Amino acid sequence: MKGALVTGATTPVGAAIVAQLLKDQVASPVLAVGAESYEDVKGLFPQPEVIYVQADLTRSRELRTLLFAPAKAHNVETVIHTALHRAAHATGSRVHQLNVESTRELLRLCEDHPTIRTFVLRSHAEIYRVRAVEPEIIDERHPIDLSPQIAQWLRDRAEADLTTCASIGLSSLSIRVLRCAECLAPDTGSQLFDYLGSQICFQPLGFDPMINLISLPDLARAFALATVAESSGIFNIPGKDTLPLSVLIEKWGQTSVPVPSVLLSPLYWLRNKVIGSDFVYDLNRFRFHFSAVMDGHRAERLLHYTPQSAIMWPAH
Amino acid sequence: MSRSPLLLRFLAQALLDPQQRRRLSEISFQDAGHGFDVFGLHPEWVQGMVALFQPLYKHWFRVSSHGAQNIPKQGAAILASNHSGMIPIDGTMIYCDVVSNTDPPRVPRPVTDHFVPALPVVSSIYARCGTVGGSRGNVHALLERGELLLIFPEGVPGIDKDFSERYQLRPFRVGVAEMAIRHRTPVIPVAVIGAEEQFPLRLRLPIHTFGAPYVPLSPIPLPLPVHYHIHYGEPLNLYEGRSAADADDPEIASAAASQVQAAVQALIKRGLSERKGVFT
């Protein structure tokens, strides 16, 4: 069996992917790559087939060493790239370096690598443009939001996605870009998780869009399937839960308070200043107004992925 | 906005007889997992809205339905209707009529203009009742799911007609014909007689809030109690003798759209000749 390398392995998503690859016996060994020292993450990977490697992906030399020393030695065939800054408030060139430039560099090095054949990128449903005039069911050809006013958090995600997509067909690698629905779990960079952290959730008055969410087990399963798939390209990875925003708030045990749309941005700005939440309303403005549900037919047909596990709703 | 509010449940209890309630409880829809379909339709809302508009449907407009047997019991189909009356009461009446006259009851999916999903409150209520925004992607997704679409191919210009131009169709947009050919879907021409006379006088306020072309206003506070007649014609199989790729040919799509327009115009002519009076 060939090896796999997972970046961002110390995040909940990365760790779940590592565990799933071993559980489904699609890769062994698995090189789990994280920025933390081994001492800090010792208990995270109890499996003997996991080799933890500490690396700073923003440093070109470390990236090269990672790929051409341990990855080559362990016959790594697939690279799964999930590492990126999760905090919406984090901005600047260092953040861009990890989100975009490391993706570009990793992709380039993988192309020159003697054993790596497959590159899988974790991309995000949030990069799709959501507007009143757009379809509510989003397929892979749906426009990406590249409007000039979007925040770095979104722009970096879109750029990393498009950088990888640009290599499809040009590169010797088999490239799979998985545009995943939002995973409602802590420390995954989920804006909705932060939004639901407050007992009172302000919602645009008169709007109640449909939202699709993916569970962590489904997300990990999609990457395991993508590792062994034969097709390359872009794949939407929807989750099992599709529901209106107000029902989501209710199921999470919080209270929805409709507020005129114009007040939401200042209200959440104020809340961030007082409480320090990572939820940024302006990043979510359009999807809090208009429905956006991903069409997963392509992933179903070519990756054999269908959502199976629902979100674990908090008991209340 | 998510769940059927108590008022709608009360209305369903108060305004629908037990048989109607039983019928409407059989509404089939593709549940996406939490009681809603992917576009946001919720069957309790459908039931509640049919109950809410029951007095208008039965007593105010006294809707007479003709040819509802032409609506397919299942599978994708497109209802293509004339549009009139300043505000889309005609759409609501067709909606109630289809739900009431199909067995098992089918929920038509009205396709609205682009600005409607941006309207607060209205967009959410519409979505719960099955309405979708008028994008090619939405229509494609609904037809793939085997839904019954309700489309007004005249668009806003149809509803904007002056009283002197009543029952004269505006040019049909080709999208309906194109989609019908591409998806091998029958088109059922629909003619609404009566709606043209419900608001004989109207004003257009040049207010473009939320992208609306104008805000309609009438010196008459309520629509006149005209007698609505809804006629459903024989299904048009526009795809017969045409391949799915023909949908991309502008001439073929345009000719097919004209065919639909001619069928609706013929139904209107028949409907007008059959009616005894505007209010009777």
Side-chain angles (χ1 to χ4, degrees):
Chain A
M1 201 183 305
K2 304 278 186 173
L5 183 152
V6 180
T7 67
T10 53
T11 65
V13 172
I17 293 170
V18 169
Q20 191 75 35
L21 292 175
L22 295 172
K23 185 183 161 210
D24 292 354
Q25 299 184 332
V26 294
S28 183
V30 177
L31 268 67
V33 181
E36 297 83 354
S37 71
Y38 178 70
E39 290 304 310
D40 291 340
V41 296
K42 216 164 34 179
L44 197 59
F45 304 109
Q47 310 91 329
E49 302 94 333
V50 179
I51 300 153
Y52 182 73
V53 184
Q54 184 186 6
D56 180 354
L57 301 184
T58 62
R59 293 175 185 273
S60 183
R61 179 55 55 192
E62 280 195 39
L63 205 50
R64 181 175 284 275
T65 306
L66 169 71
L67 290 188
F68 287 89
K72 189 176 165 189
H74 290 97
N75 207 14
V76 165
E77 192 177 79
T78 304
V79 169
I80 298 175
H81 184 40
T82 74
L84 84 174
H85 263 282
R86 283 162 280 165
H89 286 102
T91 55
S93 58
R94 173 112 183 121
V95 174
H96 181 79
Q97 187 71 26
L98 175 63
N99 290 348
V100 181
E101 298 308 329
S102 68
T103 305
R104 202 190 309 275
E105 183 71 0
L106 187 59
L107 195 54
R108 196 184 64 77
L109 291 171
C110 286
E111 285 174 356
D112 298 335
H113 200 276
T115 63
I116 294 169
R117 297 283 171 271
T118 305
F119 185 86
V120 185
L121 176 79
R122 181 196 173 199
S123 186
H124 305 263
E126 290 92 324
I127 67 168
Y128 284 121
R129 189 165 71 200
V130 178
R131 299 288 188 279
V133 296
E134 303 290 356
E136 291 159 48
I137 308 294
I138 289 175
D139 68 12
E140 287 82 357
R141 286 169 297 186
H142 192 90
I144 304 294
D145 195 347
L146 296 171
S147 49
Q149 67 271 30
I150 62 166
Q152 184 180 342
W153 190 86
L154 272 178
R155 198 175 55 240
D156 279 0
R157 278 159 175 74
E159 192 177 343
D161 179 289
L162 294 176
T163 298
T164 311
C165 288
S167 293
I168 296 172
L170 298 176
S171 164
S172 55
L173 295 168
S174 175
I175 296 172
R176 288 146 212 172
V177 176
L178 307 194
R179 291 179 181 159
C180 307
E182 185 161 345
C183 182
L184 197 60
D187 300 321
T188 56
S190 166
Q191 279 285 293
L192 280 174
F193 187 82
D194 292 323
Y195 171 71
L196 295 168
S198 167
Q199 282 196 333
I200 304 291
C201 298
F202 299 115
Q203 185 182 354
L205 179 68
F207 293 94
D208 197 14
M210 298 298 287
I211 287 176
N212 179 252
L213 299 165
I214 193 167
S215 63
L216 203 49
D218 270 352
L219 191 58
R221 205 164 45 79
F223 279 91
L225 289 167
T227 303
V228 292
E230 290 181 356
S231 306
S232 58
I234 308 161
F235 301 92
N236 280 348
I237 307 295
K240 198 166 173 62
D241 290 280
T242 302
L243 67 178
L245 180 60
S246 63
V247 177
L248 169 64
I249 296 167
E250 187 186 316
K251 287 185 91 68
W252 206 254
Q254 312 296 40
T255 306
S256 165
V257 176
V259 170
S261 299
V262 289
L263 297 179
L264 280 167
S265 190
L267 259 177
Y268 274 105
W269 177 84
L270 199 64
R271 200 192 117 192
N272 288 344
K273 292 289 170 199
V274 176
I275 303 173
S277 156
D278 199 40
F279 175 75
V280 179
Y281 173 72
D282 289 339
L283 285 176
N284 300 280
R285 187 191 317 146
F286 290 108
R287 68 184 183 129
F288 273 27
H289 286 81
F290 312 118
S291 297
V293 177
M294 283 206 291
D295 177 353
H297 278 98
R298 189 173 144 81
E300 185 179 348
R301 193 160 38 87
L302 299 172
L303 302 183
H304 309 293
Y305 166 81
T306 47
Q308 288 174 2
S309 319
I311 299 279
M312 296 285 284
W313 302 102
H316 50 83
Chain B
M1 202 57 69
S2 60
R3 298 281 165 81
S4 174
L6 282 175
L7 177 65
L8 284 176
R9 287 185 192 172
F10 171 76
L11 283 171
Q13 285 288 331
L15 298 171
L16 299 174
D17 59 45
Q19 194 188 346
Q20 282 177 307
R21 283 203 300 275
R22 198 167 45 249
R23 274 192 81 250
L24 293 178
S25 67
E26 291 166 9
I27 285 171
S28 67
F29 78 111
Q30 295 177 35
D31 190 348
H34 290 273
F36 299 82
D37 85 346
V38 287
F39 290 94
L41 178 144
H42 192 287
E44 275 188 8
W45 274 83
V46 176
Q47 195 171 341
M49 294 311 276
V50 169
L52 181 66
F53 285 103
Q54 188 86 336
L56 272 183
Y57 176 81
K58 274 194 168 170
H59 306 295
W60 190 260
F61 294 119
R62 307 169 310 284
V63 177
S64 298
S65 187
H66 312 266
Q69 72 279 1
N70 289 322
I71 303 168
K73 283 186 184 298
Q74 57 185 15
I78 299 172
L79 299 170
S81 173
N82 62 320
H83 205 11
S84 58
M86 194 177 82
I87 52 173
I89 298 174
D90 53 352
T92 312
M93 292 302 111
I94 296 173
Y95 182 90
C96 292
D97 195 56
V98 172
V99 174
S100 303
N101 289 298
T102 46
D103 192 23
R106 288 198 81 173
V107 181
R109 311 301 297 259
V111 179
T112 65
D113 216 319
H114 289 309
F115 66 88
V116 175
L119 300 174
V121 184
V122 173
S123 60
S124 296
I125 294 173
Y126 272 23
R128 296 293 165 268
C129 296
T131 299
V132 296
S135 68
R136 188 181 292 268
N138 282 347
V139 171
H140 168 79
L142 285 166
L143 291 176
E144 289 284 302
R145 285 168 166 74
E147 298 276 4
L148 175 67
L149 268 62
L150 169 57
I151 299 182
F152 298 97
E154 293 171 275
V156 172
I159 207 168
D160 186 35
K161 285 192 290 274
D162 285 327
F163 188 67
S164 60
E165 297 170 304
R166 62 193 182 280
Y167 300 113
Q168 296 168 34
L169 293 176
R170 295 283 191 237
F172 273 26
R173 293 170 182 174
V174 297
V176 172
E178 187 189 314
M179 283 293 180
I181 296 171
R182 195 182 307 284
H183 289 273
R184 326 296 287 166
T185 302
V187 175
I188 294 98
V190 181
V192 179
I193 308 294
E196 297 273 19
E197 290 93 358
Q198 69 195 11
F199 282 115
L201 296 170
R202 66 191 64 173
L203 301 168
R204 298 173 189 88
L205 300 182
I207 298 170
H208 308 291
T209 318
F210 304 110
Y214 60 89
V215 173
L217 201 65
S218 171
I220 307 165
L222 289 172
L224 297 177
V226 294
H227 187 164
Y228 262 61
H229 295 268
I230 301 176
H231 295 262
Y232 303 92
E234 295 275 336
L236 302 171
N237 295 324
L238 302 174
Y239 53 86
E240 279 180 357
R242 292 166 174 143
S243 70
D246 285 340
D248 294 323
D249 186 323
E251 278 186 24
I252 292 176
S254 180
S258 300
Q259 202 180 331
V260 178
Q261 180 164 353
V264 174
Q265 190 73 68
L267 263 184
I268 289 173
K269 194 177 168 193
R270 198 184 88 197
L272 286 172
S273 68
E274 284 175 3
R275 83 168 168 178
K276 296 186 177 95
V278 174
F279 298 99
T280 54

